Amino acid sequence: MSGGIIFQVAYIRFVFLGPTTEALRLSAQDYGNIISVFGAVAVFMYFLGGWFADRFEPRTLIVVALAGTGAADLYLAQAPGYWGALAAHVVMAVMGMGLYWPALVKAIGMLGSSSEQGRLFGFLEGTRGVTSTVVGFAGTAIVAMAVAQSAGVIWLIRLYGVLCFVFAALVWFFVKGDAGRLAELGSSSVTLRQLWRAVRNKYTWLIGITAMLMYCFYTTLGYFSPLLENRFGMAAGLIGVIGVIRTYVFQFVAGPAGGVVVDKVTKSSPRLLRWMFVGSAAVALVFLVLPHQPAYKWVALGLMFLLCLFVFTSRGVYFATVGEVEIPKNERGGVIGLASGIAFLPDAFLPSLCAWWIGDPAATPAVPEQGGGYTTLFVFLLAMALLGILVTTLTTRARARDLASRPGPTPTPPAVPVTA
């Protein structure tokens, strides 16, 4: 449940992009640049997070991360200007990705065997989604009741900051540790030797690039709000509700579904991900040719929700491939660390790039679309989906070759009859 709270402010743009820039008194481009810095720091912290997870118990790290994020949220609610907002987002990245996430992964890993990890992490996504949906709809109501949406966003950021402190207390008093099970999980730190082995492992690149390509779709979802409002004429009052459904409802519905489908149907994460890329490519292609007119707003909304289904189904099974291809346990830390760094690279450049592409018609004076606008955005996403189909196909074939090259069982010699 804490996972549904701690990242709310860092990713508030997925629900309230325009009102947040106004509330923080920033331009859309400045806010996009800040989010890109957040993403770059987050990628760096994925590598350091294992060091913290090996030296402190998960409960302690989670509590410190929640409290630190709560303090950053409350500071950000003061609209401290560009540099203050940038500092707050750096703190959020350190707390969330450096301390919280590796501790959470370790805590979840303690709950079951290796054969249950896909399902456990799928339902983690689901629980986060339920929590995020509840607080998201409450936040939408707060913003809707405010005299100005920007004022509502400030109160919402404060609410999330307070909730971080509340959940820090709940985790501290109610979550218990298991020293024995924790010791069985081994080290989470990524050594230089592990990284070098990961670099030489083909699956590191296949897994990391697959996740990165789908993460491009996830990173750009927040920029569908201005598309619906400014190009398709969707009512401004609906944008917040649509943002909550898009970002959180699909998380708790599609996240667990992805893990179940892999376990019961495809029996392979790359096979499921390949179909998700096929669907995403189709959606991006339709958006390219769909006229930007109010008459097509419900078509656009349906397409966006369909894309959300593909994206969040994929998110639940990104790293299940690590176990499926049987990467040795002493190499998994390096593979996951490097693959994660590759996977989340879009956060380090796409927000800034998207802000430049789509402009800001609500600004004074208005900032026009640049570099091809939404057309360039959807061409980019279509290219990412086609690359995703290629990479997941290569992963499936690589795994098939590995299995085919294994020596078969030694045949048992025929029994020799014993004579009297």
Side-chain angles (χ1 to χ4, degrees):
M1 291 177 69
S2 66
I5 298 294
I6 191 170
F7 298 112
Q8 287 289 338
V9 175
Y11 293 100
I12 197 171
R13 71 185 188 278
F14 285 102
V15 182
F16 302 109
L17 178 61
T20 301
T21 59
E22 184 181 351
L24 298 180
R25 301 169 191 167
L26 300 170
S27 69
Q29 188 64 62
D30 282 345
Y31 185 53
N33 294 342
I34 287 172
I35 295 301
S36 290
V37 172
F38 167 86
V41 176
V43 169
F44 180 70
M45 292 310 300
Y46 277 116
F47 290 96
L48 295 183
W51 185 89
F52 293 105
D54 285 345
R55 284 156 179 79
F56 305 95
E57 64 168 344
R59 182 182 68 161
T60 301
L61 290 176
I62 290 172
V63 168
V64 171
L66 284 165
T69 302
D73 292 349
L74 295 177
Y75 173 70
L76 186 65
Q78 307 304 312
Y82 179 83
W83 293 108
L86 180 64
H89 279 81
V90 169
V91 171
M92 292 179 205
V94 173
M95 293 292 113
M97 283 65 176
L99 301 188
Y100 178 84
W101 187 250
L104 181 69
V105 169
K106 205 154 193 176
I108 297 300
M110 294 166 63
L111 298 178
S113 65
S114 59
S115 63
E116 299 172 295
Q117 295 300 302
R119 186 158 55 248
L120 287 172
F121 280 94
F123 279 94
L124 167 64
E125 284 292 306
T127 306
R128 291 172 62 196
V130 170
T131 308
S132 299
T133 301
V134 171
V135 298
F137 277 122
T140 301
I142 291 172
V143 173
M145 289 187 297
V147 175
Q149 284 194 328
S150 57
V153 167
I154 290 296
W155 279 105
L156 186 56
I157 293 174
R158 290 171 181 157
L159 173 63
Y160 290 146
V162 171
L163 284 175
C164 280
F165 284 106
V166 170
F167 272 89
L170 291 173
V171 170
W172 181 256
F173 287 110
F174 291 102
V175 173
K176 304 300 179 186
D178 185 343
R181 182 74 179 108
L182 186 61
E184 293 176 6
L185 294 179
S187 174
S188 299
S189 298
V190 181
T191 64
L192 290 177
R193 179 176 294 181
Q194 287 176 319
L195 280 178
W196 175 240
R197 289 177 179 172
V199 168
R200 298 167 61 189
N201 191 319
K202 61 180 178 291
Y203 289 114
T204 302
W205 301 99
L206 292 170
I207 294 169
I209 292 172
T210 298
M212 180 194 71
L213 294 171
M214 186 57 78
Y215 199 74
C216 286
F217 284 87
Y218 175 75
T219 302
T220 57
L221 283 178
Y223 297 92
F224 280 72
S225 291
L227 172 67
L228 292 174
E229 183 177 358
N230 300 320
R231 301 295 290 272
F232 287 98
M234 190 72 68
L238 288 176
I239 296 299
V241 176
I242 290 170
V244 172
I245 296 172
R246 176 184 62 213
T247 308
Y248 303 130
V249 173
F250 279 94
Q251 185 180 34
F252 77 77
V253 172
V260 172
V261 171
V262 169
D263 287 348
K264 304 296 184 182
V265 181
T266 66
K267 307 296 183 181
S268 164
S269 298
R271 287 197 187 99
L272 174 67
L273 290 167
R274 181 167 54 194
W275 284 110
M276 297 302 99
F277 278 118
V278 169
S280 300
V283 171
L285 183 60
V286 175
F287 263 118
L288 266 176
V289 300
L290 186 69
H292 291 181
Q293 299 173 7
Y296 296 95
K297 64 183 178 183
W298 299 113
V299 176
L301 181 63
L303 286 170
M304 186 196 69
F305 282 159
L306 186 60
L307 182 61
C308 291
L309 178 64
F310 298 143
V311 170
F312 283 101
T313 298
S314 303
R315 275 172 60 86
V317 297
Y318 280 159
F319 296 108
T321 308
V322 173
E324 290 178 15
V325 299
E326 300 175 297
I327 292 174
K329 289 185 177 181
N330 64 340
E331 296 182 19
R332 289 187 184 184
V335 170
I336 293 175
L338 183 54
S340 296
I342 298 168
F344 301 113
L345 276 176
D347 262 349
F349 69 89
L350 259 187
S352 183
L353 191 56
C354 286
W356 185 72
W357 279 335
I358 70 173
D360 186 6
T364 305
V367 179
E369 294 181 358
Q370 302 176 75
Y374 281 104
T375 298
T376 303
L377 173 61
F378 287 118
V379 168
F380 170 79
L381 291 178
L382 177 59
M384 296 303 99
L386 294 177
L387 285 173
I389 295 170
L390 173 63
V391 174
T392 49
T393 300
L394 291 175
T395 306
T396 302
R397 291 181 178 178
R399 178 59 177 162
R401 285 196 299 269
D402 288 348
L403 292 175
S405 64
R406 286 183 176 179
T410 303
T412 303
V416 179
V418 179
T419 56

